[in-house]
Amino acid sequence: MYEFIYVCLCKSPSAVLFTLQLLKHSSNRLRITMIRCKRVKVEGDKLKLDRLTDLPINVKHQIQEHLSIEDAAKMSVLSRPWRHVWASIPKLVFSAQFCRSKPPDTLVDVINTILSQHVGAIKTFLLNISSIPSSQHPVIDQWMLLLSRNGVVDLTLQNLYNAPYKLPSYMYSVALESLKLSNCIFRPPCSFRGFCKLKKLSLLEVALEFDVSTSCLWMPNLFSLKVRVCGGLPKIYAPELLHIFFFTRSTKTLMLDHFMDCRKLKTVILAKSEKNQDKPMNLTYLLNCWPMIKRLSLDGYYLKSLAYGIEEERLPTCLNRLKALSLFNFNFNDEDQLFSLLRLFGSSPNLEDLLILLTWKKKGGMEVEVNHFERPAYRTLGLNKLQKFKIENFHGSRTKMLFVRFILASAPLLQEAILLEDAERVHESQCLEILKELVGFPRASPKLGIICKPSKIGKEVLY
């Protein structure tokens, strides 16, 4: 739903300036309708008002939230009635762009001044502390103390290339609803048992240091959890969890079994950065515990885990809710990955969107050409609901061409097939040969369009 703001244009310089700034910074969800009106005279022409001044305070706050801090401050200087609006805005965003525009020695003073002049609650607070030296972290602690007393519910601390910032102990008693941390130290007190009102938690390169007595965190309202390159995550009680994203260096630091009771999960994204071979986990068992999944994204390591176990241990038929499947670092020369892909196809009758990102290969690497997709097991599979199919880093080897042929012949509702070719390995003459072969493949869908183009540059070719 769009928000409609009616702006009255008159001869007031502040109103004209405000309108221009609003048009410049408005988002797509803000539509502005401008009307002309006469200025109103009040009691002997002592005060001349425009319609903007009569807007409710919450609407004024929403307007200023679409502007940068600098522009909102300029508006408060040029228009006296808007000074109290700027001082009471409940959302403060000190972005990386804002912090980089200020010298490090004055940035802290600027933020201190803004916070000291603020009146009322601060519900949302975003701060990029990358350019604040670690010697100034005690000042950030004072800001956090102010926030803890002013009703903050949405806190974001961005720290990309500075010394880790330790979150103060008093922040763990705040009723946060959203918490996003990067390059911080998360060391709660011994009494901490979780955020009871937290709905979104995002941790990037955060050092998790829990007391030995903390074996479980209680987060009954959490529905989104993102953990990237973190270690020491304890068991989390989150029965309402809908989305999880884990990107780890090693699976030894991630215990997915802790999330087996999250039966409402709809999105699961699992990836591992290092190529070390950890003990394979049984992801098949976990998928049986997550019957509501609609979107599943796995890298090569997690995909291979579906191939382990006894032959009788099948994937759940309850994956009929799965709509989108994304596979990263996929290797057609890996028998386990191919077998796991076969099992996923057999358990996902309502799959609509398939994305495969192939591993990058060095030039001159050996290709194992195995005719996997002409086996009888593949012929019995039907991708009857598939509508979109995309492969990245495609270079037309025999196995990959047979896989594309299998997809095109098995998906009667397929509307679009996109092949992004590996521009470093596929020359123009090879592209033409690949296109000729693709055009000759049988298609189960009469509405299918095939798009071939290099991954980096080049024009699309549509057939």
Side-chain angles (χ1 to χ4, degrees):
M1 181 179 295
Y2 290 95
E3 301 178 31
F4 289 86
I5 304 296
Y6 291 87
V7 179
C8 298
L9 295 182
C10 57
K11 297 181 180 180
S12 170
S14 61
V16 175
L17 174 62
F18 167 76
T19 303
L20 294 176
Q21 293 288 350
L22 192 60
L23 288 171
K24 178 181 178 182
H25 297 278
S26 61
S27 66
N28 292 332
R29 298 183 59 83
L30 184 64
R31 289 185 177 178
I32 305 165
T33 301
M34 292 177 288
I35 58 177
R36 294 185 177 276
C37 63
K38 297 181 179 179
R39 302 179 68 178
V40 181
K41 294 184 178 180
V42 179
E43 296 183 1
D45 202 20
K46 293 181 180 180
L47 181 63
K48 297 181 179 180
L49 302 175
D50 56 47
R51 298 288 180 86
L52 285 174
T53 309
D54 295 332
L55 290 173
I57 186 64
N58 62 319
V59 176
K60 295 179 181 178
H61 284 155
Q62 292 179 18
I63 292 173
Q64 287 207 331
E65 287 175 3
H66 285 84
L67 307 178
S68 64
I69 289 182
E70 294 91 338
D71 292 333
K74 292 176 183 177
M75 184 193 303
S76 66
V77 173
L78 294 177
S79 178
R80 181 178 299 177
W82 282 75
R83 290 181 183 178
H84 71 284
V85 179
W86 156 245
S88 61
I89 186 171
K91 181 178 180 179
L92 294 178
V93 177
F94 301 99
S95 63
Q97 181 180 0
F98 172 84
C99 295
R100 285 195 300 263
S101 65
K102 306 290 186 296
D105 54 342
T106 62
L107 174 61
V108 173
D109 293 335
V110 171
I111 298 178
N112 266 331
T113 302
I114 294 175
L115 292 178
S116 64
Q117 295 177 352
H118 193 276
V119 179
I122 303 176
K123 297 294 185 180
T124 302
F125 188 82
L126 184 150
L127 172 64
N128 188 291
I129 62 178
S130 301
S131 57
I132 300 178
S134 56
S135 60
Q136 297 285 352
H137 282 184
V139 180
I140 303 178
D141 293 343
Q142 295 299 317
W143 299 341
M144 295 298 105
L145 181 61
L146 175 65
L147 294 175
S148 67
R149 296 172 177 175
N150 279 25
V152 64
V153 295
D154 187 343
L155 175 63
T156 301
L157 296 179
Q158 301 172 343
N159 186 17
L160 302 181
Y161 44 80
N162 202 348
Y165 171 71
K166 180 184 176 182
L167 196 67
S169 58
Y170 40 79
M171 292 304 298
Y172 296 95
S173 60
V174 180
L176 293 173
E177 296 181 6
S178 177
L179 177 61
K180 299 177 183 179
L181 302 176
S182 61
N183 193 19
C184 292
I185 299 176
F186 193 93
R187 186 185 299 165
C190 300
S191 59
F192 180 72
R193 292 296 176 264
F195 295 103
C196 61
K197 293 186 178 182
L198 197 66
K199 298 178 181 179
K200 297 180 181 180
L201 177 61
S202 177
L203 305 174
L204 170 61
E205 295 186 350
V206 174
L208 302 171
E209 301 177 359
F210 290 91
D211 187 79
V212 291
S213 61
T214 305
S215 59
C216 180
L217 295 181
W218 187 60
M219 299 185 184
N221 293 301
L222 189 68
F223 69 83
S224 177
L225 175 62
K226 296 181 180 180
V227 180
R228 291 168 286 182
V229 197
C230 300
L233 186 69
K235 182 178 180 180
I236 296 178
Y237 174 74
E240 301 299 320
L241 196 61
L242 300 178
H243 314 285
I244 59 174
F245 171 81
F246 290 115
F247 181 80
T248 60
R249 290 194 177 99
S250 173
T251 56
K252 294 179 180 179
T253 61
L254 178 62
M255 300 297 293
L256 286 175
D257 292 346
H258 294 168
F259 301 94
M260 59 179 292
D261 295 329
C262 302
R263 303 189 65 84
K264 296 183 180 182
L265 276 174
K266 294 183 178 180
T267 303
V268 176
I269 303 175
L270 304 175
K272 189 165 77 78
S273 62
E274 294 184 358
K275 297 182 179 180
N276 58 307
Q277 294 297 324
D278 298 335
K279 182 180 178 181
M281 64 178 61
N282 192 341
L283 193 56
T284 303
Y285 174 72
L286 285 173
L287 288 178
N288 278 282
C289 299
W290 300 333
M292 306 296 290
I293 287 183
K294 292 185 177 181
R295 179 189 176 196
L296 179 63
S297 299
L298 303 173
D299 71 346
Y301 168 80
Y302 286 100
L303 180 64
K304 288 180 64 172
S305 68
L306 297 175
Y308 299 120
I310 58 177
E311 180 65 21
E312 289 76 12
E313 188 179 23
R314 299 295 183 183
L315 283 172
T317 55
C318 55
L319 281 183
N320 54 13
R321 293 180 180 269
L322 186 64
K323 301 293 185 181
L325 175 63
S326 301
L327 304 176
F328 302 93
N329 294 326
F330 186 83
N331 186 0
F332 275 97
N333 297 324
D334 191 313
E335 291 276 355
D336 289 335
Q337 291 190 29
L338 287 173
F339 178 70
S340 299
L341 181 60
L342 171 64
R343 300 182 72 183
L344 282 173
F345 282 167
S347 302
S348 310
N350 295 309
L351 187 65
E352 297 179 356
D353 195 340
L354 175 62
L355 168 64
I356 298 180
L357 177 61
L358 303 181
T359 55
W360 288 95
K361 296 288 185 179
K362 295 181 179 180
K363 293 183 178 181
M366 295 296 294
E367 291 285 349
V368 180
E369 296 186 1
V370 182
N371 200 353
H372 291 281
F373 303 101
E374 290 188 357
R375 294 176 180 177
Y378 282 85
R379 296 173 185 173
T380 61
L381 295 177
L383 301 173
N384 296 324
K385 299 295 182 65
L386 190 66
Q387 299 179 19
K388 296 181 180 180
F389 168 56
K390 182 178 180 180
I391 294 185
E392 295 189 18
N393 301 336
F394 185 78
H395 52 82
S397 70
R398 174 69 174 167
T399 305
K400 298 175 181 61
M401 294 297 288
L402 288 173
F403 175 72
V404 174
R405 179 180 179 180
F406 158 73
I407 294 292
L408 300 187
S410 306
L413 298 181
L414 191 62
Q415 300 178 5
E416 186 178 65
I418 302 176
L419 306 179
L420 300 181
E421 298 168 342
D422 185 349
E424 295 183 358
R425 300 189 61 189
V426 181
H427 302 292
E428 185 176 354
S429 58
Q430 293 175 304
C431 290
L432 294 176
E433 293 296 327
I434 292 174
L435 289 174
K436 289 180 182 179
E437 189 170 357
L438 287 173
V439 171
F441 285 166
R443 308 181 188 183
S445 173
K447 299 181 180 180
L448 173 62
I450 302 177
I451 298 176
C452 291
K453 63 179 181 180
S455 298
K456 297 181 179 179
I457 57 175
K459 297 181 179 180
E460 294 185 1
V461 181
L462 177 61
Y463 287 84

